[in-house]
Amino acid sequence: VMFVVSLISTSALGQVSKYVPGTHYQVLDTPVRTDDSSKIEVIELFWYGCPACYAFEPLMANWESSQQPDIDHKRLPAVWNSITQIHAQVYYAAQALDVLDAVHNPFFDEYHRNRNRLQNEVVIREFFESCGISKEDFDNIFNSFSIRTRVNQAEAKMKGYGLAQTPSLYVNGKYVVTLGEGGYQQMLDIVDFLVSIERG
C-alpha cells in the first residue's frame, strides 16, 4: 500500500512540477521590483534586430490579447550596444508620440522582411515619416532627455535581471524564461505556469 501511495504522490508531483526551475526557467536570487505590486508583471525583453523576437512577436501579441486584467504586460527593449540603444530609442520615441501601433510591427518588418537595418538616425527619421510622423515631431522627441532616461532605465532593468538574451520573459520580478528546446509556445506555457503560481 505504501508503494502505491508513493507512486500516486510522485505522479501528482509530476503534474505540479511540469516545469522545473533551473531547467525550464530561472529563479532570481534577488527579485527585481515591479511597477505595480497589485498586478502580475510580465516583461518581454526584445530587440528589433533579433530574428527570434520577430518570429515570437505574433504569438506574444496573441497571448497578450487573451490575458486577464491582473496581468501587466510590458515590453523592454534590450540595450547592450550602440545599435540596440538606438533601437530602444525608436521604441520609447514611438511610445512617447503615442504611435507605437503604427511603428512597432512595421519596424520589425522593415528590418527583417525588407532588410533595412535602420542603424542611424537619418534612416530611422525617414522610416517614422513613412509611418505618418512629422520630421519635427520626430526631432523633438528622439534625442530628448526623457527618451535617453528611458533607455538608461531599460539598460539598468535588464542588468537587474542578469539574463539578457532575446527574447526573454521576466515574470513578476522573480523568474526568467528564455527560448529553449520547446520553442516559442513553450515559453508562453511556462509563463502561464508561473503566473498561476503567482496567483496562488
Side-chain angles (χ1 to χ4, degrees), residues 33-41 69-70 72 74 172:
R33 188 175 62 82
T34 61
D35 292 335
D36 184 350
S37 61
S38 70
K39 295 191 173 188
I40 299 169
E41 186 178 80
D70 66 337
D72 185 18
K74 292 180 164 67
N172 225 25

Side-chain angles (χ1 to χ4, degrees), residues 19 25 39-43 63 67-68 70-72 169-172 175 177 187-200:
Y19 298 115
Y25 62 93
K39 295 191 173 188
I40 299 169
E41 186 178 80
V42 176
I43 295 178
W63 178 89
Q67 293 310 301
Q68 296 179 32
D70 66 337
I71 298 298
D72 185 18
L169 296 169
Y170 303 145
V171 181
N172 225 25
Y175 314 104
V177 182
M187 286 182 74
L188 295 172
D189 292 343
I190 295 169
V191 168
D192 288 338
F193 169 76
L194 295 171
V195 165
S196 68
I197 291 175
E198 289 300 291
R199 283 188 177 131

Side-chain angles (χ1 to χ4, degrees), residues 151-161:
V151 170
N152 290 339
Q153 288 171 341
E155 184 175 15
K157 188 144 198 168
M158 187 184 78
K159 287 178 178 174
Y161 279 98

Side-chain angles (χ1 to χ4, degrees), residues 84-151:
T84 55
Q85 179 179 319
I86 201 168
H87 285 177
Q89 284 177 250
V90 167
Y91 179 78
Y92 287 123
Q95 195 174 61
L97 291 167
D98 198 25
V99 293
L100 203 51
D101 286 347
V103 168
H104 184 67
N105 286 330
F107 198 89
F108 262 129
D109 286 339
E110 185 70 11
Y111 188 100
H112 294 279
R113 192 179 297 167
N114 299 337
R115 302 192 181 281
N116 178 2
R117 296 314 187 205
L118 297 156
Q119 293 183 346
N120 62 65
E121 190 174 336
V122 173
V123 293
I124 289 170
R125 182 188 292 108
E126 289 171 356
F127 173 80
F128 268 70
E129 287 185 89
S130 76
C131 295
I133 296 98
S134 72
K135 179 181 181 297
E136 290 73 25
D137 285 347
F138 176 86
D139 288 342
N140 285 338
I141 198 71
F142 194 71
N143 287 306
S144 66
F145 176 77
S146 63
I147 298 303
R148 295 281 186 186
T149 300
R150 295 292 302 277
V151 170

Side-chain angles (χ1 to χ4, degrees), residues 2-54:
M2 288 292 290
F3 180 66
V4 172
V5 170
S6 174
L7 275 178
I8 292 170
S9 300
T10 304
S11 175
L13 184 64
Q15 290 301 312
V16 172
S17 305
K18 181 178 179 182
Y19 298 115
V20 181
T23 300
H24 298 101
Y25 62 93
Q26 303 300 318
V27 181
L28 297 181
D29 293 332
T30 306
V32 176
R33 188 175 62 82
T34 61
D35 292 335
D36 184 350
S37 61
S38 70
K39 295 191 173 188
I40 299 169
E41 186 178 80
V42 176
I43 295 178
E44 170 196 355
L45 182 73
F46 78 98
W47 169 43
Y48 283 118
C50 162
C53 298
Y54 183 51

